[in-house]
Amino acid sequence: MVWAAFLGMASAQLLKVFIVWLSDRVLDWSLLGTSGGMPSSHTAAVVALTVAIGRLHAWDSAVFAISLVNTIIVMYDAAGVRRSAGDQARILNILITQFPDLQELQREQLREILGHTPFEVLAGAALGLIMGNLV
């Protein structure tokens, strides 16, 4: 079952490289180790695992229920909390460049792409459904 999660995450990370290559014609392998972007690899991993658990242990089992609740939390976090943190980082990075007194507080730019749009989360869920059924 753990292979379903790994397959979901790995396929999502590879898709990020491919999608950026299609849109920007840049092959950026560094995307394999980053969060954020299209599709959500965290969502793909947990949905694939949840589907695999449902298929193996039954859709009404306790272990499936636990996995489903975890999946919902991860998806909510990806599109809500982590996305908001990314938006706040973007604002803070702008503010620091505008106020010279603040620049000494920051050694490097805050990471701005932390979360996902709802569409990126749904795309990760769709990929997870596919991978969970393949395993």
Side-chain angles (χ1 to χ4, degrees):
M1 269 184 293
V2 73
W3 289 109
F6 288 135
L7 185 61
M9 183 171 279
S11 59
Q13 292 300 108
L14 282 171
L15 266 175
K16 289 178 188 183
V17 173
F18 183 69
I19 288 169
V20 167
W21 179 78
L22 280 176
S23 65
D24 301 340
R25 295 293 184 218
V26 174
L27 196 57
D28 186 0
W29 293 107
S30 71
L31 294 172
L32 289 175
T34 62
S35 61
M38 171 70 166
S40 168
S41 59
H42 292 93
T43 299
V46 295
V47 168
L49 180 61
T50 300
V51 168
I53 288 171
R55 291 175 55 95
L56 183 65
H57 292 283
W59 302 104
D60 62 349
S61 67
V63 69
F64 172 75
I66 292 166
S67 186
L68 180 62
V69 169
N70 181 60
T71 296
I72 292 167
I73 291 168
V74 168
M75 291 172 70
Y76 174 80
D77 181 67
V81 177
R82 288 190 316 119
R83 183 172 170 85
S84 293
D87 292 343
Q88 291 172 13
R90 185 173 19 266
I91 292 167
L92 287 171
N93 284 334
I94 292 169
L95 285 174
I96 286 173
T97 62
Q98 300 297 318
F99 296 99
D101 292 342
L102 295 177
Q103 289 176 4
E104 67 187 42
L105 297 174
Q106 185 181 31
R107 292 190 169 89
E108 60 187 56
Q109 289 281 97
L110 296 172
R111 191 151 189 279
E112 296 178 10
I113 302 174
L114 299 173
H116 299 279
T117 65
F119 181 74
E120 292 168 344
V121 171
L122 288 175
L127 183 59
L129 282 170
I130 293 167
M131 296 303 148
N133 279 299
L134 286 178
V135 172

